Amino acid sequence: MARAVSRPGWMPPVVSNQALADVRNHYSRLVLHRPLCMTGKAVLLAGEYEGSPAVLKILTAGEARWRRRHDAEGRAYERFAADPPPVRTPRMLAPPARGLLLIEHLTGSPAAAQRYPDVIALPVVESVLACADALAAWPGGTRFAEDAGRPALTAADLAAAADIGVSGGALQAWAGDLTSIPQVFSHGDLLLTNALATGTEIALLDWEHAGLRPSGYDHALLWLTLMDHPAAQARVAAHAAGRAAFRFYICALLLREMRIHREAASVPQVARRYRALRRLADVVFAEFRTRVDH
């Protein structure tokens, strides 16, 4: 039974009384002020912890996959505390607890409001690319070597490929070619929504997908989500030239994005994005077929 706990009137209903009791038990010196945002899997609350502006992340999704991702982010912040990364990121203010993460609240503005942004600034894109380079060269990334990563291609990805007439066998062969490439540390979700412009630098947020991958993954995701901005895409592609996994991950991530958007296509905005992704797939996989034929 959930313990009785003082509950502010502004607290989102999705945060249970038991979760609030856990917060009081683990972070007794935390003073909560207001909600920041809700993501559908977690709630972010602003507050103050021992004199420092703080953000408390409370996991609200019950599925095991989200708990794994939440736990992975906690481990990332613990590793960063022991060996700071070469990019700005919030400090961990106290050890993570089950379903809870307490980090520094940085002042700034997200570089974009949506996963596929309407408006961007090219200098910010360049700064984010510089962050990707710095992370790839960071020796501390080896701390993540034992973490289990998402396969380069999942069964769902291959099913999405079959739906549009793309050879899953050829994709798997391409993925196999990349296994001999040294892995580098990557953010794993390098979107402009996860880049905070603080006024003097770019800070990266949301590290739940951080890990080791063939170089080019972060660049491919950024390229894909900038599909409405050809000049920015060209900057990313030029920056990623020579990264053997870049073109592969454009294909793999495009399949994932198409599948996710198709599953939620009852929402008109999502349906429009799916159609745009499908048109992009015609171009990307035409190049892939040319590669296979040669």
Side-chain angles (χ1 to χ4, degrees), residues 78-278:
E78 288 180 308
R79 290 162 178 167
F80 292 164
D83 187 0
V87 302
R88 185 74 167 96
T89 188
R91 291 182 297 111
M92 183 178 68
L93 297 180
R98 184 173 174 82
L100 304 174
L101 179 64
L102 186 63
I103 58 175
E104 175 187 16
H105 188 183
L106 297 178
T107 301
S109 301
Q114 303 94 21
R115 185 178 186 85
Y116 291 87
D118 295 327
V119 178
I120 64 165
L122 284 177
V124 170
V125 173
E126 295 284 2
S127 295
V128 171
L129 289 169
C131 288
D133 285 348
L135 291 173
W138 179 45
T142 57
R143 291 175 177 268
F144 293 73
E146 295 182 0
D147 291 358
R150 182 183 187 273
L153 289 167
T154 66
D157 297 333
L158 294 171
D163 287 343
I164 60 172
V166 172
S167 168
L171 280 171
Q172 288 177 305
W174 194 4
D177 292 342
L178 302 178
T179 57
S180 60
I181 297 174
Q183 296 190 328
V184 299
F185 183 66
S186 69
H187 180 277
D189 200 19
L190 196 64
L191 312 171
L192 293 189
T193 51
N194 289 333
L196 189 74
T198 66
T200 58
E201 59 188 343
I202 292 293
L204 297 184
L205 313 175
D206 290 349
W207 292 88
E208 61 187 31
H209 296 284
L212 297 181
R213 299 176 178 88
S215 180
Y217 182 98
D218 280 348
H219 302 77
L221 181 59
L222 187 60
W223 182 92
L224 182 58
T225 56
L226 292 174
M227 62 184 291
D228 298 330
H229 304 278
Q233 276 192 315
R235 296 274 189 101
V236 176
H239 197 87
R243 299 176 191 270
F246 175 62
R247 292 294 172 186
F248 167 80
Y249 277 119
I250 285 177
C251 293
L253 291 170
L254 178 53
L255 290 171
R256 186 185 73 182
E257 291 291 305
M258 289 173 58
R259 173 174 52 82
I260 292 170
H261 283 75
R262 185 177 58 187
E263 290 171 354
S266 59
V267 179
Q269 183 178 357
V270 176
R272 286 193 296 272
R273 178 57 59 186
Y274 171 75
R275 291 192 293 270
L277 289 165
R278 184 65 185 84

Side-chain angles (χ1 to χ4, degrees), residues 1-12:
M1 186 178 205
R3 294 176 44 186
V5 65
S6 175
R7 186 182 187 92
W10 50 259
M11 185 64 62

